[in-house]
Amino acid sequence: MPSELKYPGDGHIKSGDLSSENITANLLSDFWGKVLCYGAVNSTNTLAVDLSLKYPESEIAIIADSQVKGKGRLGRAWVSPPGCNIYMSVVLHTEIAPEDATLLTISAAVACASALRNKCGLDVNIKWPNDLMVCYRKIGGILTELKSGHGRINKLVVIGIGVNVNSRLTDFPEELRSRATSLKEETGKYFERSGMIADILNELEKWYKKLLSEGRFPLLKEWRRLSSTLGNKVRVTMGTDIFSGFAEDIDEQGRLILKLASGAKMIVSAGDLTELR
Ligand code: BTN
């Protein structure tokens, strides 16, 4: 059983520019059955799993103003200060095969990059697997968690999205400052979060429905178009192993096809990638 939810406001806090009413008002359909906004939470991904039991029939979007234990890829922490950024998790009830779950992460990356490009006019790219980048600095990231046999729900996909919107470089720990950025740092402008969240949710709905109706190829084509990785020399770290090579393509499951100096090809499904310039 999930722990009793300890979060006040039942998903209807108003925190500055963040409110479920403002987000919902900008959605193009009722695809997202529940849009819930909270103040400080541990992690929206963790809360999403609990809330999926409370609302088992709905596609849900959970947004927080800040996270105390924000989770990043590869067991890292995600810095989540209040009042400035987007921390959102969406729950999709899907029958997609576990090996194809990466296609949902890819849908989220394409959706975020498109929404941010349209809103801010920035050249937002995707670094494999799903980092959102502007000028080689990270502006956002995606963490997908797959739960099976959770309560009455068979398969549950939680896609966590973090976007640095109005934070300043000084909000990041010293060691991240040369690698991270925000929309505010890049444009000098302040962005209202509710409208931007609605744009991301509208794009995500569009790409998810396209994936279900047209299959993976239109999505993979768009990912390739937005990728900053393909066609470049890269270094991939997998645990203690490091490989360098040429990022040739992604395969049908979104895995990276790396051409090594020997000419051999290697398929990489997870790892930390650096683009070598
Ligand atoms: C990455 O390391 O690139 C993935 C970062 C994902 C961060 C988001 S913020 C909302 C959601 N809740 C979490 O705890 N993590 C994700």
Side-chain angles (χ1 to χ4, degrees), residues 41-47 62-64 67-80 86-90 129-132 138 140-145 158-163:
V41 306
N42 282 334
S43 154
T44 54
N45 269 26
T46 312
L47 179 57
I62 293 132
I63 298 105
Q67 300 184 115
V68 180
K69 292 184 186 159
K71 299 188 277 185
R73 283 179 66 238
L74 307 171
R76 296 182 182 131
W78 187 257
V79 179
S80 311
I86 293 175
Y87 317 111
M88 168 162 75
S89 297
V90 299
N130 286 298
D131 287 350
L132 301 165
K138 185 157 168 169
I142 294 163
L143 177 69
T144 299
E145 297 184 90
V158 176
I159 306 173
I161 297 170
V163 181

Side-chain angles (χ1 to χ4, degrees), residues 162-175:
V163 181
N164 302 330
V165 181
N166 295 311
S167 54
R168 306 310 310 247
L169 269 191
T170 45
D171 297 328
F172 296 106
E174 189 97 41
E175 67 275 13

Side-chain angles (χ1 to χ4, degrees), residues 128 217 220-221 223-225 227 229-232 234 245-259 265-268 273:
W128 186 89
F217 294 105
L220 293 173
K221 187 174 171 199
W223 189 97
R224 288 183 180 105
R225 194 181 74 80
S227 161
T229 303
L230 300 184
N232 280 322
V234 298
F246 177 75
E248 207 170 64
D249 201 358
I250 49 168
D251 71 6
E252 292 189 6
Q253 288 171 3
R255 297 175 303 182
L256 184 69
I257 303 172
L258 193 62
K259 189 172 176 190
K265 292 197 182 164
M266 188 177 154
I267 304 284
V268 186
L273 182 139

